[in-house]
Amino acid sequence: MRIATWNVNSIRQRLEHLTRWLDEAQPDVVCLQELKCMEEAFPKSEIEALGYNVAVSGQKAFNGVALLSKMPIEDLRIGLPGNDGDEQARYIEAVMSHPEGVVRVASIYLPNGNPLGTEKFPYKLAWMDRLTSHAKDLLALEEPLVLAGDYNVIPTPLDARHPEKWTNDALFQPESRARFETLKALGLTDSVRQCLPDEPVYTFWDYQAGARQRNDGIRIDHLLLSPEATSKLAGVRIDQHVRDWEKPSDHVPVLIDLTL
DNA sequence: ATGTCAAGGCCACCTTGA
């Protein structure tokens, strides 16, 4: 089973890219982030026509997450538990049933947290604490689990071409990195680092200053796996070439293959 | 060295967010 995550930076601007990439990559499950539209404006029928079931949590102009699945979507949960007042569309989770078993998948758009010194950074940290608390509950189910998305966290210096440029950025703050480590310490495996422990690989290149041409990238899109999923991990792939298509997202798809 | 991009308001440019 192939599971992917991709921050598309507006689904309506990127629909052609998405359909082209679905055709070439043939994923079974896709986690999308930054839809930047309400559910009504999401191009559901176009994606369903390609054989996917679709679940969307939308919001006007900002955020927005979705799950696409070739398998039936069950046990749908929209929103991260722990703050009923949080209106931001950043979390959607469901169970995908499969003849050989089930996998629970979440599409996550973790808050960016910039600029430092504003309320955005504590909101990010509190959101990470809520994610950790929910992940603990999900891990207790002892089932294959994939928490995938744009985490807006650069976990280590290896995950940035120029780590020194990110020292005053919310994505590379000690508090952000410590919470990412706490999350993993619950028993989750960073699938890309499991397969590529020492390789400098990136999933995001800024639109500005020729960052892509200079390979001035960062790795912030992650797929974290429960032990039951990690034991089935057969490989990972980062589809960097998609960043060089015309009018691309600033993020590229990250994929894993599970022997499920 | 923001050298970029997208959405929304109510414009034909500004603000917000990334």
Side-chain angles (χ1 to χ4, degrees):
Chain A
M1 182 185 305
R2 177 164 287 176
I3 301 175
T5 181
W6 191 10
N7 177 325
V8 290
N9 187 17
S10 169
I11 186 64
R12 288 178 291 176
Q13 290 298 318
R14 226 64 65 196
L15 182 58
E16 278 189 42
H17 279 42
L18 176 64
T19 56
R20 176 178 172 187
W21 176 77
L22 288 174
D23 186 54
E24 80 172 36
Q26 292 293 316
D28 298 292
V29 178
V30 184
C31 302
L32 298 176
Q33 301 89 33
E34 269 207 279
L35 308 177
K36 292 187 169 178
C37 68
M38 306 275 274
E39 182 172 357
E40 309 87 87
F42 186 93
K44 212 174 224 175
S45 55
E46 289 90 333
I47 294 169
E48 284 171 345
L50 301 173
Y52 290 92
N53 297 299
V54 178
V56 176
S57 173
Q59 181 184 333
K60 191 200 264 189
F62 304 117
N63 308 319
V65 286
L67 289 167
L68 318 182
S69 174
K70 296 248 181 193
M71 295 152 284
I73 294 177
E74 295 163 2
D75 279 1
L76 186 66
R77 169 191 284 280
I78 288 177
L80 196 55
N83 181 358
D84 294 337
D86 188 353
E87 300 290 321
Q88 301 192 26
R90 297 182 174 278
Y91 187 89
I92 187 168
E93 169 199 316
V95 169
M96 316 296 178
S97 54
H98 191 265
E100 283 101 67
V102 297
V103 59
R104 185 179 298 266
V105 181
S107 179
I108 293 167
Y109 181 44
L110 209 142
N112 176 296
N114 283 306
L116 295 177
T118 69
E119 72 292 341
K120 290 172 185 296
F121 189 55
Y123 173 70
K124 175 188 190 131
L125 299 180
W127 206 95
M128 294 187 82
D129 291 339
R130 285 165 60 201
L131 178 61
T132 299
S133 171
H134 184 53
K136 198 179 294 180
D137 292 342
L138 294 180
L139 282 163
L141 300 172
E142 299 187 344
E143 63 188 9
L145 169 71
V146 181
L147 300 178
D150 176 1
Y151 279 74
N152 270 314
V153 175
I154 302 166
T156 75
L158 177 64
D159 300 308
R161 178 70 189 274
H162 295 292
E164 71 282 1
K165 297 210 306 198
W166 298 90
T167 50
N168 292 316
D169 194 289
L171 280 58
F172 198 51
Q173 287 311 292
E175 295 92 333
S176 312
R177 293 171 57 190
R179 279 167 176 79
F180 188 76
E181 290 306 314
T182 300
L183 184 60
K184 286 198 300 175
L186 296 176
L188 292 164
T189 297
D190 178 342
S191 50
V192 167
R193 279 292 167 247
Q194 177 79 7
C195 295
L196 305 167
D198 305 311
E199 265 195 67
V201 288
Y202 312 122
T203 65
F204 168 96
W205 296 261
D206 200 283
Y207 288 121
Q208 298 185 71
R212 173 61 183 160
Q213 290 74 14
R214 296 159 187 257
N215 195 26
D216 183 3
I218 51 177
R219 190 176 74 93
I220 56 175
D221 299 274
H222 309 298
L223 297 105
L224 301 188
L225 311 183
S226 70
E228 294 78 9
T230 303
S231 63
K232 298 176 173 68
L233 180 62
V236 301
R237 196 173 96 194
I238 300 176
D239 276 349
Q240 283 195 43
H241 65 286
V242 172
R243 187 64 178 77
D244 301 319
W245 289 354
E246 199 169 337
K247 301 281 282 177
S249 168
D250 38 9
H251 297 249
V252 297
V254 185
L255 309 80
I256 61 168
D257 285 313
L258 299 180
T259 57
L260 193 80

